[in-house]
Amino acid sequence: MLNLNLSDFMVEFKDGSIKNVGPTTKEVTAKLFDVESVEAREFGDKRVKVVAEDGEGNEIQMALFPEQIEALAGDITDLQNNSRVFED
C-alpha cells in the first residue's frame, strides 16, 4: 500500500498536459507498507539505490551516499541487538 501526503500541492490540467501552479512550497511524504521485495544496488559512481516494492507494483526508490547506508546499517544492527522486533 502506497500512502502519499501532499501539502500545498496544486497542478493544472490543460490540453492533456500537467502544469505546476502556485508557489514552490510543496511538500510530500511517501510511505510504502506491506513491502514484498527490497534490494540495494550501485547507482552512479558514488551512491547506492535502495528499491522497495509492494505486491501492487508501487515502488519507492532512494539514492543514498555510502555514509548514509553505513548509518542505516548501524541502526539495523542496534535494532537486532536491542529491539524485540528481532526476537523469535
Side-chain angles (χ1 to χ4, degrees), residues 20-82:
N20 177 39
V21 294
T24 58
T25 57
K26 295 162 183 56
E27 294 180 13
V28 65
T29 300
K31 298 177 183 181
L32 187 63
F33 298 96
D34 303 321
V35 172
E36 290 193 0
S37 68
V38 63
E39 68 176 351
R41 59 180 181 261
E42 290 182 359
F43 182 70
D45 292 339
K46 302 205 182 236
R47 289 187 279 175
V48 174
K49 183 182 279 189
V50 178
V51 181
E53 186 173 345
D54 70 5
E56 298 173 1
N58 299 307
E59 183 178 88
I60 298 283
Q61 296 186 11
M62 297 182 297
L64 304 172
F65 289 102
E67 57 272 10
Q68 293 169 310
I69 291 291
E70 291 167 355
L72 179 60
D75 291 344
I76 292 169
T77 298
D78 288 344
L79 285 171
Q80 288 172 321
N81 294 329
N82 302 312

